[in-house]
Structure formats: structure tokens, C-alpha cells
Amino acid sequence: MLNLTDITLPCDSDAREVSNFVRQFGAAVLPNFVAQSTLEELQSEFRAVLKQPNNAYARPLSYQPGRAVELSRNALPVEHYQTICSFFGSPWMRAVADSYMGHLFLLNYELYATHEFIPATDIAPTHHDKLWTLKFMLYLNDIDVDC
């Protein structure tokens, strides 16, 4: 059985290394991947989008652990969500996806923003995604076993 250390790579790993690692282990964790200033900007932008869902680019979702919204990244107004748009459209993410999936893919066309605040609720119950996908997950707050 794998543990967190087994699936952890340095935050400066290149795209091919990450892709190969995911093929081998099914996941890759890159601690401290995001600079603190970028993380703070992402936190602010995601808080804003969670407060005003249900528009041309965001759709609220029923979510037992708290609040969630599905975002259409290409429809996000860049002037309000510049960091989300650039982070999830980064050349590095594109290179990882290209190496893992091949050339025909939509990079992060849907984003899911969640805020879990209802305790003792199953955060990620077993589910099936709509499409075969490579997921990039970014935790905006530090988490531990008690979260």
C-alpha cells in the first residue's frame, strides 16, 4: 500500500516526470507547488466566485459538505479571475496533460471550486467522472487528518 511519501515529487518536477509518475502510481503530490503570493490570489478569486455562483461562467452544485460551484474556465472573465485563468491554463499543466493524454484534450475546461465547512460529511464519495480525465487538484488551505 502506498502512503503520501510514496507519491510525493519535488515541486519543481518537469512535466514528463510528473506524467510518468502518475502512470506508475496513479497520482503525484507536489507540496509547495504554488508560490504564497499566487496562493493568496487564488484564495481570493475562488472565495469571490463561490459567493456569486449561477452566471455565464459558474453554476452552483448541490454539495453536502458545504458549497461548490462548477466553473467554465474559458468563460471566466479574465479581468476578474486572472490568476485562476493563468494558473489552470499554464504551459506546465498543458505539458503534463499532453505527455499523459496525448494531443487531443481540453485543458481544465471545467473547474470545481468547493468549500467544505459541514463536519463529519463524506467529502469525495465514490463517483464516476463524465469523461476520461486527468485531474489537477489544488488545496488552497493546509489540510491534515483532522480536516
Side-chain angles (χ1 to χ4, degrees), residues 79-112:
E79 64 274 12
H80 297 296
Y81 302 105
Q82 183 176 2
T83 308
I84 291 174
C85 292
S86 64
F87 181 81
F88 288 98
S90 74
W92 183 86
M93 282 191 186
R94 179 162 294 287
V96 170
D98 185 57
S99 177
Y100 187 81
M101 300 179 78
H103 298 294
L104 299 175
F105 63 88
L106 298 171
L107 179 65
N108 296 324
Y109 72 98
E110 285 181 340
L111 303 176
Y112 294 87

Side-chain angles (χ1 to χ4, degrees), residues 42 45-46 49-50 53 55 57-61 67-77 81-90 93 106-115 129-130 133-138 140:
L42 287 165
E45 290 180 14
F46 275 113
V49 81
L50 279 165
N55 51 46
Y57 53 86
R59 183 175 65 88
L61 301 171
R67 189 175 22 223
V69 64
E70 177 184 347
L71 303 172
S72 173
R73 186 174 63 86
N74 293 334
L76 277 171
Y81 302 105
Q82 183 176 2
T83 308
I84 291 174
C85 292
S86 64
F87 181 81
F88 288 98
S90 74
M93 282 191 186
L106 298 171
L107 179 65
N108 296 324
Y109 72 98
E110 285 181 340
L111 303 176
Y112 294 87
T114 65
H115 179 206
D129 292 332
K130 294 184 259 183
T133 152
L134 176 64
K135 293 182 181 181
F136 292 95
M137 297 176 73
L138 173 65
L140 297 175

Side-chain angles (χ1 to χ4, degrees), residues 7-24:
I7 60 169
T8 299
L9 285 172
C11 65
D12 61 350
S13 296
D14 70 34
R16 184 161 305 280
E17 182 180 7
V18 172
S19 173
N20 290 339
F21 199 83
V22 171
R23 282 189 194 286
Q24 182 177 359

